[in-house]
Amino acid sequence: MPSSIRRLQVAFCILAMVFLIGPTLAIIPISFSSANFLSYPLPGFSLQWYYKILQPQPWMSALMNSLVIGTGATVVASALGTIAALGLSRGYLPARSAILAVVISPMIVPVVISGVGMYFFFAKLGLVASFLGLVLAHAVLGVPFVVITVTATLKNFDANLVRAAASLGATPFHAFRTVTLPLIAPGVISGALFAFVFSFDEVVVALFISGPGQRTLPRQMFDGLRDNIDPSILAMSTLLVVVSAALMGFGAFVQHRAATNKAPAT
């Protein structure tokens, strides 16, 4: 009986994975199609759409914009999210639950509402249609990911190590840099990866905040689907799937290394 239940569990997990990942993997074969439109079965094999996305305009320009904006947003979100997580992890903090709810609210509020609010707020500051405005907008949306992962890491953090460093004459910043940060680095890295992937994939806020000079890759794909369905979109989507899988694999590797390093100590 237990073995049959286990087989059912494994079968259910496989079916769930196919249901979730299948539609994403279905785009990969079409990206190698020799046709000028989306069609199944494939009339032939060709790399023409991959050659097309390697052209400077519009794909490579949009890709560079996404990389610049995603990197900037990740740096800002990682710094702010780590500071917020450290503050929320203190022994006594009035209204901790309310503060945490406000900090992670960008993850809960529909992104359309966030985009409209950011547009009106940034318009008064002159940040609409600017790289800085888009970086700050994506950083705000990425902070909750960093806060959640770093907070989870701090659950197993021994505050006595910081006190020991302080007793030996270390300043708060030096203790954070040499003691706290190395120990919570897996959580910071994981949160930064989530923030980067979110920024790299975000399109709704980009439609509100960005201008013609800040056209990101998701916005370019959105415009391509709206105006003319071009198989080159599937080629770029395939590359994004590969990059996302690599980043998630790297995050899992970091977490595994951190758990391995803690095992001998425990």
Side-chain angles (χ1 to χ4, degrees), residues 81 85 100 103-104 107 142-154 187 191:
L100 180 61
V103 172
I104 67 173
M107 181 184 291
V143 163
F145 297 99
V146 182
V147 170
I148 291 174
T149 56
V150 176
T151 301
T153 305
L154 288 170

Side-chain angles (χ1 to χ4, degrees), residues 232-247:
S232 61
I233 297 175
L234 301 183
M236 182 58 73
S237 300
T238 301
L239 294 180
L240 293 182
V241 169
V242 174
V243 171
S244 299
L247 290 176

Side-chain angles (χ1 to χ4, degrees), residues 87-88 91-103:
L88 291 169
Y92 174 74
L93 182 66
R96 182 201 304 260
S97 299
I99 296 174
L100 180 61
V102 172
V103 172

Side-chain angles (χ1 to χ4, degrees), residues 87-178:
L88 291 169
S89 65
R90 292 187 178 275
Y92 174 74
L93 182 66
R96 182 201 304 260
S97 299
I99 296 174
L100 180 61
V102 172
V103 172
I104 67 173
S105 60
M107 181 184 291
I108 302 172
V109 176
V111 68
V112 174
I113 297 177
S114 298
V116 173
M118 290 178 183
Y119 171 78
F120 286 109
F121 179 72
F122 286 173
K124 295 181 179 180
L125 301 177
L127 295 177
V128 175
S130 67
F131 280 99
L132 179 59
L134 203 52
V135 167
L136 294 177
H138 282 183
V140 170
L141 298 175
V143 163
F145 297 99
V146 182
V147 170
I148 291 174
T149 56
V150 176
T151 301
T153 305
L154 288 170
K155 294 292 184 181
N156 300 320
F157 179 74
D158 188 2
N160 291 325
L161 298 175
V162 179
R163 298 189 185 98
S167 67
L168 295 174
T171 62
F173 176 76
H174 186 71
F176 170 77
R177 185 175 60 86
T178 58

